[in-house]
Amino acid sequence: GENVEQHPSTLSVQEGDSAVIKCTYSDSASNYFPWYKQELGKRPQLIIDIRSNVGEKKDQRIAVTLNKTAKHFSLHITETQPEDSAVYFCAGFYSGGGADGLTFGKGTHLIIQP
Amino acid sequence: ETGVTQTPRHLVMGMTNKKSLKCEQHLGHNAMYWYKQSAKKPLELMFVYNFKEQTENNSVPSRFSPECPNSSHLFLHLHTLQPEDSALYLCASSQGLAGVQAKNIQYFGAGTRLSVL
């Protein structure tokens, strides 16, 4: 199966600064890595994802990088804004041995300080 | 709204009760999932169904019993639960199995907040 570790558990940054959240995964067969944002009291929503055949993907202020050799991937948010405050979850998709599904990290509570 | 509806939104039950959680998706998806969200394990996969067939049972105790009568509906039947089962139960769906193809993004319901007394 897959094990996903996420750090840090809490991250506080000044508005306008950048935020970086890091995740590592255990199974080299994992090939899909989405990031979800969950605002307080709301459902998780996909914000960006990356596949193992790509090293980096960017969508406006959000980018994700993947290092397959080191088995880690990171979420980068630039020019942070108050609405970026939320819990962010990384996940890895494992397919094989009859077990298919996303394994999530424990989440990072991102706090944007005004 | 994401097209994934969960009922009820809140549920309080005793340890001897039997209740069911319902999830319905209006997106034409073929895969559906149950997750448990708690302070200890923020997003824990419980069950996966693909084309109504269960493909994943993530070592979930038998007091949780899923049912998928068709691709649009997913139930989680609960019986003799424990207080530590109190959590937010999230349902999700995707076109196909998440991760297999680029289009198979998971959409989450709003969840059922379960309290076991």
Side-chain angles (χ1 to χ4, degrees), chain B residues 47-72:
Chain B
F47 301 104
V48 180
Y49 278 82
N50 195 28
F51 289 96
K52 302 187 296 179
E53 297 296 322
Q54 186 179 121
T55 62
E56 176 78 11
N57 176 340
N58 204 19
S59 302
V60 180
S62 59
R63 56 186 184 270
F64 295 92
S65 175
E67 179 190 0
C68 189
N70 55 61
S71 294
S72 299

Side-chain angles (χ1 to χ4, degrees), chain A residues 31-32 36 38 41-46 49 51 89 93 95 98-107, chain B residues 1-2 4 35 37 40 42-43 45 48 55-56 88 90 97-102 105-106 108-110:
Chain A
N31 58 10
Y32 173 66
Y36 283 81
Q38 187 174 25
K42 296 188 177 180
R43 70 196 76 194
Q45 290 192 302
L46 180 75
D49 56 13
R51 298 200 163 266
F89 293 96
F93 176 78
S95 178
D100 296 337
L102 286 174
T103 299
F104 283 83
K106 291 190 175 182
Chain B
E1 285 298 323
T2 60
V4 181
Y35 288 89
Q37 188 171 41
K40 286 187 176 181
L43 263 176
L45 180 67
V48 180
T55 62
E56 176 78 11
L88 180 69
L90 288 162
L97 206 58
V100 174
Q101 293 186 40
I105 298 168
Q106 283 192 7
F108 283 85

Side-chain angles (χ1 to χ4, degrees), chain A residues 39-77:
Chain A
E39 297 177 45
L40 187 63
K42 296 188 177 180
R43 70 196 76 194
Q45 290 192 302
L46 180 75
I47 54 171
I48 196 167
D49 56 13
I50 192 167
R51 298 200 163 266
S52 56
N53 59 347
V54 175
E56 183 174 358
K57 185 176 178 180
K58 191 172 182 180
D59 182 5
Q60 300 183 338
R61 296 188 297 109
I62 296 173
V64 57
T65 58
L66 171 65
N67 183 326
K68 286 195 304 181
T69 304
K71 291 191 284 189
H72 69 69
F73 56 110
S74 299
L75 177 71
H76 305 254
I77 306 175

